[in-house]
Amino acid sequence: MEEFEQVYRRNAGKVYRYLLAQGCPAHDAEDIVQDTFVKALVHIDAFRGECELSVWLCRIAKNTWLSHLKKKKRESGELTADHPAPRDESWEWLDLIERLDEPGRTVFRQRALGGCAYAELAVQYGKSESWARVTYHRARQKLRQMLPGEEDKT
């Protein structure tokens, strides 16, 4: 259990910031972070190690938040001011990010949404810190090109 506490301390802030970046209200994000770690502990055997643990936790958090929104919508018939819909542009960005090729997609996600340091990314991929910077920069450029009305500006 001590190991799990360390995992929580290292990753709870990343998961919380990720939820806020997706438009989740702060008061909901706190609860969802807790639920995320409970689910992670229960389903730790599902973690295959194909990505960083923080990325897996953010996926759990995203799914937990979406479930939370669906439940609220079912209960009230619509989303309330206390539980607004995710910002449309956040979801558009996530869709664009998903269209990036690997490793740019994962590097961009971990750096921009998870706050992962270039040094961490370099270690994870067994590459140099410069490689991580260039990969992130190229992914960011590609995202800009994918924005509506931006394709003529390249």
Side-chain angles (χ1 to χ4, degrees):
M1 209 44 134
E2 198 171 299
E3 286 178 24
F4 187 74
E5 288 177 30
Q6 289 176 352
V7 168
Y8 180 84
R9 276 190 233 114
R10 271 193 304 252
N11 294 287
K14 288 180 185 178
V15 173
Y16 180 77
R17 288 188 303 275
Y18 172 80
L19 288 165
L20 293 180
Q22 301 311 307
C24 182
H27 63 277
D28 285 341
E30 293 170 5
D31 292 337
I32 292 169
V33 167
Q34 299 298 320
D35 292 345
T36 296
F37 280 88
V38 169
K39 288 178 181 182
L41 184 59
V42 169
H43 299 287
I44 194 64
D45 57 320
F47 180 65
R48 296 184 303 254
E50 295 173 354
C51 63
E52 279 289 308
L53 182 61
S54 61
V55 172
W56 183 66
L57 291 168
C58 285
R59 263 191 249 141
I60 294 171
K62 176 183 164 188
N63 291 335
T64 302
W65 183 44
L66 291 174
S67 295
H68 174 78
L69 286 176
K70 287 176 188 174
K71 181 180 176 188
K72 287 291 179 189
K73 188 173 183 176
R74 273 194 311 270
E75 288 173 357
S76 67
E78 62 182 271
L79 296 174
T80 66
D82 289 340
H83 300 89
R87 293 190 307 259
D88 289 340
E89 64 267 8
S90 292
W91 295 106
E92 289 172 24
W93 270 101
L94 286 176
D95 289 340
L96 290 177
I97 292 168
E98 289 304 311
R99 291 175 31 202
L100 289 171
D101 293 330
E102 286 297 344
R105 174 184 8 191
T106 303
V107 168
F108 185 85
R109 251 196 252 135
Q110 290 180 312
R111 174 79 183 150
L113 303 177
C116 194
Y118 291 118
E120 256 183 88
L121 291 167
V123 168
Q124 177 184 342
Y125 283 92
K127 306 275 186 176
S128 69
E129 196 169 323
S130 294
W131 174 89
R133 288 177 189 278
V134 169
T135 303
Y136 174 77
H137 176 73
R138 287 180 181 161
R140 200 172 81 197
Q141 279 183 313
K142 183 75 173 169
L143 282 172
R144 284 186 179 144
Q145 292 172 356
M146 292 163 66
L147 287 172
E150 294 293 318
E151 52 277 334
D152 299 331
K153 298 179 185 177
T154 56

